[in-house]
Amino acid sequence: MNIEKQLTEDIQSALNHLFQEEMEVTLQPTRKDFEGTYTFVVFPLVKKLRKNPVEIGNAIGEYLNEKSSVVSGFNVVQGFLNISLQENTWNSLFNSLLGKKSDSAFESNGSSVLVEFSSPNTNKPLHLGHLRNNFLGHSVSEILKANGYSVTKACLVNDRGIHICKSMIAYQLFGNGETPESAGIKGDHLAGKYYVEFDKAYKEEIKTLIAEGQSEDDAKKNAPLMKQAQQMLQQWENGDEEVVDLWKKMNGWVYDGFNATYKKIGIDFDKTYYESDTYLLGKDIVEEGLEKGVFFKKEDNSVWIDLSDEGLDEKLVLRGDSTSVYITQDIGTTELKFKDFGTDKSVWVVGNEQDYHFQVLFAILKKLGRSYADGCYHLSYGMVDLPSGKMKSREGTVVDADDLVSEMISTARETTEERGKIDDFSETEKDELFRTLALGALKYFLLKVEPKKRMLFNPAESIDFQGNTGPSIQYTHARIKSILRKASADGLSVPEQIGDVKMAEIETDLVGLIAEYPNYIQKAANDYAPSVIANYCYDLAKTFNSFYAELSVMNESNSQLRDFRLALIEQVAATLKKGMKLLGIDVPERM
């Protein structure tokens, strides 16, 4: 039984009967400080009907009391109609939840979406910002799947360009044949080390040239290292065998390092694109756009588009020497992705410093008349800051992902061992628990904040077993599983259906929350916001903990009520597990 659907239909019937009014009815949960389960906001009707909101609310409430099979009462507070439900409605609703056999919230909706995320550079290891990106991309993919989409997870690796050549030049000059094996460090860290070495040496050259009388701008251009890096980029583009071999070798090290990190944090992709394969794409589309009059040439032969009607000014799409810019490559890569997968939607998970770039890209695709342009979406997210002095990496500015995960696992170990509840775990079980808690803390903390917001990541706060944290929710799940194991050991089984029981308010709160789960998935998918699911899981766990503090399960003398509560908490655990899985988080059976 879908109570919300039934109630919505009953309100629509009331509006039609009382006021001859048709409108889309939206319900929201009643605030905790008022009596009721669902609230209907009547303010939008005031202007149309020219009646005061209390009068409208009372009229609808009285109609529902008389005609609706699910309503037991109502109260009106200003323009809010708070509706209470009949007791047997809750029993019917809960039995319908128990009767659901499928784990998926929705059947296939026949639509497909490609989600592109991660987009690392091969001159450095993944860092904290990449973690937020990866966790957002993975979670949004899982949420879209749960909402009925066919999802392809893609990654575009930035494996070419001047920044890659900087690492390569520094390795040639200072590397002495060092390898990840000889150095005893991961390949991505080794490449990052030489990127930093380049920067140090380059800054010293700039200082020297300034001391010799050059301006800072001239010194930056004339520094020998920068000239060498630029020359190497030209050699790479011309296919110089020695340069290409070094590029392949160092990138191979980096990919091995990336793959180890991805495996550790539970990230994978269905398709990986490489900029070295795509950076020349888009020029043919620029030619097409010139023929259509979408683009225009300037005197220096450069090609532009005028987006002033979009509030975006003019934008360069091809230089005068016919070399491409980033937007050209993105036009071509987007076309390639559509040819490869033909998805209805395409989502880019990229930081908000690229907001303007994507506005321009999408505007160009629309002007080119691309069929997929309307399905393009930039999932823009804010940067991640840290409390000063916390876990700075070797570069002194960026928090390395591997270091952070290791630090989180150590913190999870200390925090868990202090609680002294895992003495009977084997060492393997302990290690797995610490890893699960650490990643749960990290992912949850980075995902519970609405993506567009800039956020402060506090490692110590994230691992806390109290409050709105991953470990707190994981512990709630483990606590429920412990109760269910005890029930099983006592010979009790969880019923597949329940008889009529009189539920306490906290129990109807739990039943209502569980029933609302598909609505939260839908909202999270529509908004591309894992934070919706994260905070739903927290609300469900918090409501369970209030229930557990207020009522007994195993010590309940009424066997029918006890069995209902066993079924109820089993549903809570199952829903928490499903919800946290959408965030990429495992929940332990015991801890």
Side-chain angles (χ1 to χ4, degrees):
M1 178 185 186
N2 188 326
I3 293 176
E4 190 173 345
K5 184 182 177 188
Q6 180 64 57
L7 186 54
T8 299
E9 289 173 358
D10 291 345
I11 294 172
Q12 283 170 334
S13 174
L15 292 172
N16 194 18
H17 179 80
L18 297 170
F19 309 116
Q20 294 73 54
E21 184 66 45
E22 295 278 347
M23 67 176 285
E24 185 179 344
V25 172
T26 304
L27 297 172
Q28 58 193 43
T30 301
R31 281 173 46 184
K32 290 294 178 192
D33 40 347
F34 297 108
E35 187 180 346
T37 306
Y38 289 108
T39 295
F40 174 58
V41 182
V42 301
F43 285 120
L45 291 163
V46 171
K47 194 172 180 182
K48 282 184 181 181
L49 302 178
R50 296 184 179 179
K51 296 178 185 290
N52 76 59
V54 174
E55 184 184 348
I56 298 169
N58 279 321
I60 298 170
E62 285 163 10
Y63 179 93
L64 293 173
N65 255 355
E66 186 181 338
K67 303 286 187 182
S68 175
S69 61
V70 297
V71 173
S72 66
F74 72 94
N75 65 86
V76 179
V77 181
Q78 296 177 327
F80 300 93
L81 170 60
N82 303 319
I83 302 162
S84 299
L85 301 182
Q86 294 183 11
E87 281 184 15
N88 64 350
T89 302
W90 291 109
N91 288 281
S92 300
L93 174 60
F94 189 62
N95 276 324
S96 72
L97 295 172
L98 292 178
K100 284 185 181 173
K101 300 299 180 191
S102 173
D103 253 0
S104 55
F106 298 94
E107 299 300 316
S108 170
N109 63 15
S111 294
S112 56
V113 59
L114 184 142
V115 182
E116 181 188 300
F117 61 101
S118 199
S119 304
N121 298 327
T122 58
N123 63 317
K124 56 190 175 186
L126 302 177
H127 55 66
L128 178 59
H130 286 119
L131 288 181
R132 189 176 195 194
N133 181 303
N134 276 283
F135 298 156
L136 275 171
H138 176 83
S139 182
V140 164
S141 299
E142 294 304 307
I143 289 165
L144 289 169
K145 281 182 199 172
N147 210 52
Y149 286 91
S150 169
V151 178
T152 301
K153 294 181 288 184
C155 176
L156 174 63
V157 180
N158 301 305
D159 65 339
R160 62 162 292 281
I162 192 69
H163 51 296
I164 310 298
C165 291
K166 289 176 182 179
S167 292
M168 291 164 62
I169 281 290
Y171 179 77
Q172 275 187 334
L173 294 172
F174 316 124
N176 299 315
E178 187 176 39
T179 66
E181 291 76 22
S182 68
I185 61 174
K186 286 171 76 231
D188 50 339
H189 288 248
L190 189 64
K193 169 185 168 183
Y194 287 103
Y195 185 65
V196 175
E197 289 299 323
F198 176 94
D199 194 54
K200 285 180 187 171
Y202 176 49
K203 282 175 179 170
E204 286 301 317
E205 288 184 348
I206 292 169
K207 275 186 193 173
T208 302
L209 293 175
I210 290 173
E212 290 172 0
Q214 292 192 26
S215 70
E216 187 176 346
D217 284 347
D218 285 343
K220 285 177 178 177
K221 290 177 198 167
N222 296 328
L225 270 174
M226 182 56 75
K227 288 187 172 180
Q228 284 177 273
Q230 289 166 341
Q231 183 186 0
M232 179 175 272
L233 180 58
Q234 288 178 334
Q235 290 173 313
W236 181 88
E237 289 181 354
N238 293 331
D240 182 281
E241 191 174 339
E242 185 181 337
V243 170
V244 170
D245 284 348
L246 176 61
W247 172 77
K248 286 180 178 176
K249 178 167 76 173
M250 291 185 72
N251 272 358
W253 293 342
V254 172
Y255 296 141
D256 288 343
F258 283 170
N259 289 338
T261 304
Y262 286 139
K263 186 176 180 182
K264 187 187 293 182
I265 63 176
I267 299 296
D268 59 10
F269 304 97
D270 303 305
K271 174 71 177 179
T272 300
Y273 292 97
Y274 299 91
E275 195 182 318
S276 55
D277 296 328
T278 65
Y279 79 103
L280 296 177
L281 296 178
K283 291 185 181 183
D284 55 336
I285 301 175
V286 171
E287 289 302 318
E288 175 199 324
L290 275 169
E291 290 172 18
K292 286 182 175 179
V294 173
F295 302 127
F296 66 92
K297 277 192 177 181
K298 291 194 174 181
E299 288 180 5
D300 63 356
N301 218 36
S302 60
V303 182
W304 295 71
I305 185 169
D306 183 2
L307 295 173
S308 54
D309 58 335
E310 308 271 346
L312 298 169
D313 301 324
E314 292 183 349
K315 180 69 180 176
L316 175 71
V317 295
L318 208 62
R319 297 188 186 97
D321 60 4
S322 290
T323 56
S324 63
V325 289
Y326 269 116
I327 202 78
T328 327
Q329 299 168 32
D330 276 356
I331 292 166
T333 307
T334 304
E335 183 97 342
L336 174 64
K337 290 193 298 185
F338 184 75
K339 283 178 179 172
D340 284 349
F341 296 101
T343 54
D344 302 298
K345 295 185 179 189
S346 198
V347 177
W348 286 257
V349 184
V350 181
N352 57 13
E353 72 277 7
Q354 294 296 327
D355 284 355
Y356 176 77
H357 176 83
F358 281 101
Q359 287 174 343
V360 170
L361 174 63
F362 299 161
I364 290 174
L365 294 174
K366 283 179 183 175
K367 285 187 180 293
L368 287 167
R370 288 306 190 255
S371 61
Y372 50 80
D374 286 336
C376 293
Y377 181 80
H378 172 209
L379 175 47
S380 171
Y381 65 90
M383 297 296 99
V384 185
D385 299 316
L386 283 144
S388 63
K390 292 277 186 182
M391 291 187 289
K392 298 290 184 181
S393 73
R394 288 177 297 280
E395 288 89 338
T397 54
V398 176
V399 177
D400 178 86
D402 292 316
D403 292 347
L404 180 57
V405 171
S406 297
E407 188 80 23
M408 293 295 293
I409 290 171
S410 296
T411 305
R413 178 186 293 274
E414 289 167 20
T415 307
T416 309
E417 286 180 341
E418 278 173 16
R419 298 172 72 247
K421 294 188 176 182
I422 57 166
D423 294 341
D424 61 333
F425 279 42
S426 69
E427 286 306 310
T428 303
E429 287 173 329
K430 286 180 182 179
D431 288 344
E432 180 58 25
L433 177 63
F434 302 145
R435 189 192 70 82
T436 299
L437 291 175
L439 287 175
L442 190 54
K443 291 180 181 184
Y444 187 86
F445 205 93
L446 292 176
L447 291 174
K448 73 176 180 180
V449 177
E450 201 272 323
K452 285 183 170 58
K453 290 182 180 175
R454 189 168 187 138
M455 66 174 295
L456 180 74
F457 176 66
N458 186 321
E461 187 183 322
S462 74
I463 204 80
D464 198 338
F465 283 84
Q466 304 292 324
N468 191 2
T469 68
S472 170
I473 297 167
Q474 288 171 315
Y475 180 65
T476 298
H477 178 270
R479 169 185 267 179
I480 295 171
K481 285 296 188 178
S482 174
I483 299 168
L484 293 170
R485 280 193 300 273
K486 185 175 187 313
S488 179
D490 289 352
L492 300 175
S493 58
V494 177
E496 293 187 5
Q497 291 283 279
I498 63 157
D500 285 346
V501 294
K502 183 172 172 56
M503 298 185 196
E505 185 180 348
I506 193 70
E507 291 170 316
T508 60
D509 287 346
L510 276 176
V511 173
L513 263 176
I514 296 165
E516 286 283 309
Y517 178 60
N519 294 338
Y520 283 89
I521 291 180
Q522 212 162 23
K523 179 170 172 50
N526 291 342
D527 297 350
Y528 301 100
S531 53
V532 171
I533 299 296
N535 289 296
Y536 167 80
C537 288
Y538 172 60
D539 285 342
L540 183 57
K542 185 171 66 171
T543 305
F544 164 79
N545 289 322
S546 297
F547 155 85
Y548 192 62
E550 189 177 317
L551 301 171
S552 175
V553 179
M554 296 300 291
N555 293 328
E556 172 55 54
S557 57
N558 181 320
S559 60
Q560 191 177 27
L561 204 47
R562 179 200 62 207
D563 291 349
F564 155 66
R565 288 175 184 166
L566 285 172
L568 177 60
I569 67 171
E570 186 180 63
Q571 285 292 306
V572 172
T575 308
L576 285 176
K577 186 172 185 174
K578 285 187 287 189
M580 293 292 269
K581 187 180 179 185
L582 295 183
L583 305 177
I585 298 172
D586 293 325
V587 284
E589 295 288 304
R590 59 194 193 110
M591 56 185 278

